[in-house]
Amino acid sequence: MKLRHCIVGLASAAALSLGTAGTAAAGGTPAFTCVANQSNVYLYGDGPGIGPVDWILHTGQAFHGHYTVVHSGVFWSFGHTDGNSSDMWVRTNQLRC
C-alpha cells in the first residue's frame, strides 16, 4: 500500500513540474466553463505564470477549462477562451465559475 501511495505521489509531483509545458491546441471537451471576474486577466502559454502574457481576458469573457492544479501554492487552470483556441494557463481566483 505504501508503494502505491509513493507512485501516486511521484506521478502527482511530475504533473506539477509544469515549467516546460508549452501552448497546445485545445483538445477534448472542457471540464468546466468560467468567466473572468475582473478586467485584464492574464493567460500564459509557457506554464503557470511563466513566459510572456499570451492573451488577456476581460470581465465576463469565457474561459473553458480542462483541469486545475496547484503550483507554488496558487491554483491555476488550463484551458482556452472563445477568442483563442490555444490552451493557456490562468490564475483560477481570477475566474468566476
Side-chain angles (χ1 to χ4, degrees):
M1 194 60 142
K2 285 185 180 182
L3 178 61
R4 182 175 180 214
H5 287 282
C6 181
I7 291 170
V8 170
L10 289 173
S12 297
L16 291 177
S17 62
L18 299 168
T20 59
T23 302
T29 303
F32 57 91
T33 298
C34 304
V35 295
N37 66 10
Q38 62 193 45
S39 189
N40 296 327
V41 172
Y42 300 138
L43 286 88
Y44 302 86
D46 296 326
I50 299 170
V53 174
D54 292 341
W55 196 260
I56 297 175
L57 283 178
H58 298 285
T59 308
Q61 289 184 318
F63 178 83
H64 308 285
H66 297 293
Y67 56 89
T68 299
V69 299
V70 179
H71 182 71
S72 300
V74 177
F75 285 89
W76 290 87
S77 294
F78 187 67
H80 59 277
T81 69
D82 286 334
N84 188 336
S85 62
S86 294
D87 284 332
M88 292 177 271
W89 293 95
V90 62
R91 286 182 70 134
T92 309
N93 70 337
Q94 295 177 317
L95 301 174
R96 186 179 71 246
C97 300

